[in-house]
Amino acid sequence: MNAKQVAAYKAVEAVQAGMTVGLGTGSTAYFAIERLGALVRNGLQLQAVGSSLKTESLAREAGIPIVDFAEVRHIDLYIDGADEVDENFNLVKGGGGALVREKIVAFNSDTFIVIVDSSKQVQTLGAFPLPVEVVPFAANLTLRHLEKMGGKAALRQKEGRTFVSDNGNFIVDVQFGVIQDPVALNVAINVIPGVVESGLFPGTMVQRVLVGYDDGRVDVRVHA
Ligand code: 5RP
């Protein structure tokens, strides 16, 4: 098993029968979906919500019952990866472009377990460009505002076209360099009209970070 897989499998140990589970997006969350699918096929009863259309379809293929997010009143546990995790449990997310739904699921979950390999651990956030989802109508002006805040911003492209999120929006990736105060920056970005959501997840949203290593070890960091 690789580092992402061991972290994901360890996180799935927290799943209990009857739970509503939030499923993350990306190559680390993939292993959690795979593991959970095997447990469901073995008789574990639960329901899940996906943080992206891709995750919903992976989960269905794995046999996990997916419920419509609009019908959900309560999420017990959310398991997802991250692009960066700092010492205070703050995250950068959105490398896969699912940050808006991911943040909504995280905010509405009793427990959020972040699963990463050790390369994602950083002292301060900012080496990974910060994804910000923006309304297409205002994309260029919004990008300029993000640059005025000190970032170098680029509209995300995929296969030669502007990337479009599951919500029909664009993503701007912003290089801020070292982010000294992620909580303040998140607020400052989110007040720009045209911004849907930033990929900065304040540490207050996170209960545990599981850090996997290729030798099979998993460090469990619990947020007090
Ligand atoms: C998707 C995300 C992912 O959690 C993040 O990009 C990490 O991905 P991976 O597990 O593939 O490294 O935020 O929007």
Side-chain angles (χ1 to χ4, degrees), residues 77-120:
L77 173 65
Y78 179 38
I79 300 172
D80 198 0
D83 299 300
E84 287 186 330
V85 186
D86 78 6
E87 292 175 335
N88 298 313
F89 296 80
N90 300 301
L91 313 175
V92 166
K93 283 186 54 55
L99 64 112
V100 170
R101 294 188 188 199
E102 290 174 341
K103 210 165 188 176
I104 292 169
V105 176
F107 188 79
N108 286 286
S109 297
D110 290 348
T111 303
F112 179 15
I113 302 181
V114 178
I115 47 177
V116 290
D117 64 71
S118 58
S119 70
K120 307 286 185 67

Side-chain angles (χ1 to χ4, degrees):
M1 285 204 278
N2 65 37
K4 292 182 176 191
Q5 198 169 7
V6 287
Y9 278 30
K10 181 82 185 160
V12 170
E13 289 176 12
V15 176
Q16 291 173 13
M19 279 185 167
T20 299
V21 181
L23 302 173
T25 298
S27 59
T28 317
Y30 166 83
F31 290 115
I33 296 166
E34 181 211 42
R35 180 74 179 146
L36 207 53
L39 295 176
V40 167
R41 293 195 300 280
N42 254 340
L44 178 67
Q45 301 228 332
L46 52 77
Q47 59 178 16
V49 288
S51 59
S52 64
L53 298 176
K54 177 149 190 221
T55 287
E56 284 184 357
S57 104
L58 278 174
R60 285 199 182 97
E61 278 167 29
I64 302 170
I66 288 289
V67 287
D68 186 349
F69 196 77
E71 306 300 323
V72 165
R73 294 286 168 270
H74 176 248
I75 303 166
D76 296 285
L77 173 65
Y78 179 38
I79 300 172
D80 198 0
D83 299 300
E84 287 186 330
V85 186
D86 78 6
E87 292 175 335
N88 298 313
F89 296 80
N90 300 301
L91 313 175
V92 166
K93 283 186 54 55
L99 64 112
V100 170
R101 294 188 188 199
E102 290 174 341
K103 210 165 188 176
I104 292 169
V105 176
F107 188 79
N108 286 286
S109 297
D110 290 348
T111 303
F112 179 15
I113 302 181
V114 178
I115 47 177
V116 290
D117 64 71
S118 58
S119 70
K120 307 286 185 67
Q121 290 204 107
V122 295
Q123 216 163 20
T124 44
L125 303 177
F128 191 94
L130 178 67
V132 179
E133 184 154 329
V134 303
V135 174
F137 167 77
N140 287 333
L141 286 173
T142 310
L143 187 148
R144 275 196 223 151
H145 277 288
L146 290 164
E147 291 210 313
K148 276 189 211 153
M149 294 173 72
K152 190 172 178 317
L155 203 55
R156 186 179 296 184
Q157 306 292 311
K158 192 175 177 189
E159 289 154 10
R161 295 178 166 207
T162 302
F163 176 88
V164 179
S165 76
D166 285 351
N167 314 305
N169 297 314
F170 295 163
I171 304 278
V172 178
D173 293 298
V174 195
Q175 284 189 310
F176 281 106
V178 173
I179 297 174
Q180 295 292 1
D181 189 343
V183 175
L185 184 60
N186 180 49
V187 172
I189 291 173
N190 282 349
V191 296
I192 300 171
V195 166
V196 179
E197 192 53 73
S198 99
L200 280 170
F201 286 46
T204 46
M205 284 185 167
V206 176
Q207 278 67 51
R208 258 173 282 167
V209 175
L210 306 190
V211 185
Y213 296 85
D214 282 327
D215 64 5
R217 261 181 319 128
V218 179
D219 280 349
V220 180
R221 292 174 53 199
V222 179
H223 199 175

